[in-house]
């Protein structure tokens, strides 16, 4: 699944449509072309995706639509509005550079019709979910652009690597899964519906150099979970940083002792839960 904010930024000159689906004010996002063609993101429901695509094709530049019973809002961005471009390019930069970043949307009825004012909330240190006054609770949606609990790299090709990646992403970690397998199929599709994480494809583990790892964001303080038995090929590169957490799990933990909170997990999912719980405890 492509990151929706990067795709939105790439299509600003074409007037894309941004759709938000809010559940208890925490939103999900999807981007559509002016013709209603899906470009990126997810709203968490095939029915909502179909509804959003249909409505997107009807919007004119600058139009907003709020379907309150569905918790769905749409806005077609103006391709010639420089202020709009600056805002979304700034949002993309905050997603890349901030510790955490959130998009706050507050639907407002004006004499000219519905408006969707948006604000960037970003921090460059430890961050928790912002809280707003009670009178606003039914009107706003808060969309995480970048999680604030830290950064996790998962290195492996197996089901355990997938389980750890989506579960950690759902808890609030920014996750990148590195794999040498061509990861496709219903399991991955379902995981990406539940949580958004990055997927980096390698042709072979020996190509995982220090330069590539730095380019992906490897630095002191990140968390690392390794599940591949081929880890000796890149362990020297990982040893060059001071991670907040490093676990060898699955095939990688042979002879290393058990990682995670559960000493004898019965399933892959339980093993993944034990690892994520241990790294966040």
């Amino acid at each position: 699944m492509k990151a929706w904010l990067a795709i939105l930024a790439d299509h600003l000159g074409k007037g894309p449509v941004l759709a938000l689906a809010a559940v208890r004010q925490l939103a999900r996002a999807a981007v559509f072309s002016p013709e209603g063609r899906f470009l990126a993101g997810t709203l968490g429901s095939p029915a909502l995706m179909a509804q959003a695509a249909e409505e997107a094709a009807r919007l004119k530049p600058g139009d907003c639509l709020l379907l309150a019973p569905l918790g769905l809002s749409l806005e077609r961005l103006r391709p010639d509005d420089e202020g709009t471009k600056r805002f979304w390019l700034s949002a993309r930069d905050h997603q890349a550079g901030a510790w955490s970043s959130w998009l706050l949307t507050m639907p407002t009825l004006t004499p000219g019709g519905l408006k969707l004012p948006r604000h960037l909330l970003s921090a460059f240190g430890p961050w928790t979910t912002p809280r707003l006054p009670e009178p606003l609770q039914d009107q706003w949606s808060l969309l995480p652009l970048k999680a604030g609990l830290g950064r996790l790299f998962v290195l492996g090709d197996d089901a355990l690597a997938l389980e750890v990646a989506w579960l950690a992403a759902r808890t609030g970690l920014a996750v990148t899964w590195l794999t040498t397998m061509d990861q496709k199929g219903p399991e991955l599709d379902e995981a990406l519906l539940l949580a958004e994480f990055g997927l980096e494809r390698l042709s072979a583990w020996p190509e995982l150099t220090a330069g590539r790892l730095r380019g992906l964001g490897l630095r002191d303080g990140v968390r690392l979970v390794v599940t591949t038995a081929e880890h000796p090929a890149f362990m020297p590169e990982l040893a060059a940083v001071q991670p907040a957490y490093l676990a060898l799990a699955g095939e990688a933990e042979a002879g290393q002792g058990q990682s995670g909170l559960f000493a004898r997990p019965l399933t892959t999912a339980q093993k993944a839960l034990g690892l994520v719980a241990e790294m966040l405890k």
Side-chain angles (χ1 to χ4, degrees):
M1 182 177 66
K2 297 179 179 178
W4 69 268
L5 183 53
I7 298 300
L8 180 75
D10 289 343
H11 286 76
L12 285 174
K14 301 176 182 178
V17 176
L18 174 63
L20 296 184
V23 179
R24 296 180 181 176
Q25 286 76 52
L26 186 61
R28 291 185 175 187
V31 182
F32 297 86
S33 73
E35 299 77 29
R37 179 171 58 90
F38 170 71
L39 298 176
T42 180
L43 300 177
S45 160
L48 276 181
M49 293 290 283
Q51 179 85 38
E54 181 179 340
E55 301 292 350
R58 299 176 182 155
L59 295 179
K60 298 177 181 179
D63 280 357
C64 299
L65 177 65
L66 179 63
L67 302 176
L70 299 177
L72 183 66
S73 66
L74 297 97
E75 179 182 10
R76 182 174 172 188
L77 306 182
R78 294 183 180 275
D80 56 351
D81 187 329
E82 292 301 318
T84 295
K85 290 181 180 179
R86 285 195 299 271
F87 177 85
W88 289 109
L89 292 176
S90 176
R92 183 190 62 185
D93 293 343
H94 280 227
Q95 185 184 55
W99 172 282
S100 63
S101 185
W102 302 76
L103 174 68
L104 175 66
T105 300
M106 303 183 70
T108 303
L109 285 174
T110 71
L114 175 70
K115 300 296 181 184
L116 295 175
R118 305 188 193 273
H119 308 273
L120 286 175
L121 307 174
S122 297
F124 293 86
W127 183 245
T128 56
T129 305
R131 296 180 180 177
L132 298 178
E134 287 296 330
L136 302 176
Q137 291 291 308
D138 294 332
Q139 303 174 37
W140 57 271
S141 69
L142 196 61
L143 177 67
L145 302 181
K146 186 174 184 180
L149 290 182
R151 187 75 183 273
L152 168 67
F153 289 91
V154 182
L155 303 97
D157 300 322
D158 56 2
L160 178 59
L162 171 60
E163 291 275 1
V164 171
W166 84 260
L167 181 60
R170 197 166 185 186
T171 63
L173 287 163
V175 179
T176 300
W177 178 19
L178 290 86
T179 177
T180 63
M181 303 290 287
D182 187 11
Q183 299 288 354
K184 296 178 181 177
E187 293 84 2
L188 179 60
D189 292 341
E190 182 179 0
L192 287 171
L193 279 175
L194 295 170
E196 186 168 343
F197 53 88
L199 187 63
E200 287 289 331
R201 175 83 162 80
L202 308 168
S203 60
W205 289 113
E207 79 174 45
L208 194 57
T209 62
R212 181 159 186 178
L213 285 166
R214 283 196 300 270
L216 292 171
L218 182 72
R219 61 183 184 273
D220 290 354
V222 301
R223 295 172 170 89
L224 303 166
V225 172
V226 180
T227 69
T228 175
E230 298 182 52
H231 59 281
F234 57 80
M235 283 303 292
E237 315 301 347
L238 300 185
V241 304
Q242 296 181 353
Y245 177 83
L246 170 61
L248 300 183
E251 294 182 358
E253 72 184 352
Q256 301 290 329
Q258 292 283 336
S259 298
L261 289 186
F262 307 131
R264 289 178 291 278
L266 299 178
T267 65
T268 301
Q270 190 180 36
K271 177 67 174 179
L273 180 61
L275 287 165
V276 174
E278 183 181 66
M279 76 174 71
L280 295 179
K281 68 178 180 180

